[in-house]
Amino acid sequence: MATAEVRVVCADGAGAVVAEGRARLPAPERPRPGWSEQEPAAWWPAVASALRDATDALGPRARALVAVAVSATSGTVVVVDDEGSPIGPALLY
């Protein structure tokens, strides 16, 4: 299995979910058995879309937003150049 979507959850101070956003990611490539790759360039547009959906769902409550937490899938490796730009596909767990 591989990362299929970006999910954003907005919770209040008591932990109750008050808004959510989701955006699909392209299916991973499987160039050989036991190998999964995904194009990292697809991640940021999906993150931005999911964040927009979640904050739009908050409506006026978005003004009360005080923090953002980011979590990522485990076991994914992306090789980058000296500037931090990916130089190939992400190798998925």
Side-chain angles (χ1 to χ4, degrees):
M1 197 55 160
T3 301
E5 67 181 359
V6 171
R7 294 171 295 279
V8 172
V9 175
C10 300
D12 65 17
V17 174
V18 295
E20 295 182 63
R22 293 174 179 255
R24 299 284 307 159
L25 290 168
E29 298 290 324
R30 299 195 193 312
R32 59 183 173 258
W35 194 272
S36 292
E37 300 176 346
Q38 198 169 47
E39 185 53 52
W43 297 343
W44 184 246
V47 168
S49 176
L51 282 167
R52 262 191 312 277
D53 289 349
T55 55
D56 286 351
L58 283 172
R61 295 176 294 179
R63 289 190 299 268
L65 187 65
V66 296
V68 175
V70 177
S71 178
T73 186
S74 63
T76 298
V77 177
V78 179
V79 179
V80 298
D81 63 17
D82 291 342
E83 311 230 339
S85 298
I87 60 173
L91 305 178
L92 305 176
Y93 50 90

